[in-house]
Amino acid sequence: MSAAVSAPRITAPTPLRRPPALCLALLAAPIATGANAPVLILPDIARSLGVSTAHATWVVTAFAWAMTVGTPLFAALVRHRGLRTTLLASAVAALAGTALVAVAPWLPLTLLGRAAQAAGGAGLIAVAMNLAGSARRMGAITAGFGILGAAGPLLGSTLAGMVNWRAPLALSALALLAVPAVWRHTASTAPERPTHAAPFDTVGAGLVAALASALVLIPMAPFVGAPAAAAVALPLALHVRRRPDGFAPAAVLRSRAFVSSALLAFSFSTSYFILLFALPELAQRRTNWSTESIGTGQLAALLTGSALSWLLAAAAARLGHRRVLTVLIALGTAAPLTAAFASWGPALLLAAAAAVFVATGSNAVLSVHAAQHAPTAQRPAAIGLFVLCYQLGGALGPALATLLVLT
């Protein structure tokens, strides 16, 4: 088996010069830091904006929602307008959102800025993943995502103490440092508009965004979210039949490789984010560790698991898909079971390390696998829909952790 797998390409008459893997990681990973940076400083945000801490948590929720919805939208932009247009639009959205967050005096404007940041970040991730080209390079992106996401709360708290609470919310803008280098490497993608020039499927995009939004609402408002999701699902299914090459391509949705990979990624992501938010509380209940020890231990476990996930992605081609899948499913099952029943502190930390290892490793390996089995013209859409499933776990996990453990 070849050490590199075919890249999820849009179309390119001339060969695509791929940026270095670290450059792609810098383009994508800071969004994870920005997502988690507010976790420990929500009371500071609430006091500054004159709202309750409960209302301030929308700073996290709005970010997760915009990431979930923005991912397939920007993937569609890659498919219809190419990498350079998507890179530029994403960078503008991320920069505008960061600027708004830096000056917004009220919570609604802050939420608008956070949503723009997240949507722009989703576009940058879509560009990075389309340029990856192999499981090894995809692994560098997702490992960086996991590492910076794990460090986000501590970095956010430290930076807020040194400057103010607005500074941590700007950490995702570090991704913009990679834009010039990536822009140069996409110069060879001509023409700018891909040859797959079907009209943009506005109805399909709206239905997918509505379905994702309804699903995000289910843990917090099940009597609203669940009926809304059911009401959107049927029109979306009918629309896919009418427009099989639209925003949610029928060839992708009918692919067993895509469906199984996306469902696994969603499951692993949800499990990881539940553990991420629930583990400190579980450790306090079941051990005699101090808060500082729990925080330090969790950070070390998450960093270790994220780093090891890159090794799995790098070895994926040699090991074969079945063996990698076996490792992911075994550890992905063991992590939540260990967290549910273990009363020994190190065992809880091992569960956290396994959860982030599985989530980031599956994101790297399964995204490439899912895109490989999609028609070439539909691969950007396949990546966007796959990442949407992964991001849904990031949006649902914290809410489920609150319901299962934190209340």
Side-chain angles (χ1 to χ4, degrees), residues 20-26 28-29 132 134-147 306 309-311 313-314 360 364:
L22 289 179
C23 186
L24 295 179
L26 177 60
S134 71
R136 178 189 295 268
R137 289 162 60 84
M138 195 76 83
I141 296 171
T142 58
F145 205 85
I147 290 170
S306 298
S309 70
W310 181 83
L311 298 179
T360 54

Side-chain angles (χ1 to χ4, degrees), residues 355-371:
V356 70
F357 172 83
V358 170
T360 54
S362 66
N363 197 10
V365 175
L366 296 180
S367 61
V368 174
H369 181 71

Side-chain angles (χ1 to χ4, degrees), residues 171-195:
L171 286 171
S172 60
L174 292 174
L176 299 175
L177 297 175
V179 169
V182 176
W183 180 270
R184 290 194 297 271
H185 280 85
T186 58
S188 61
T189 56
E192 168 66 14
R193 182 180 177 89
T195 57

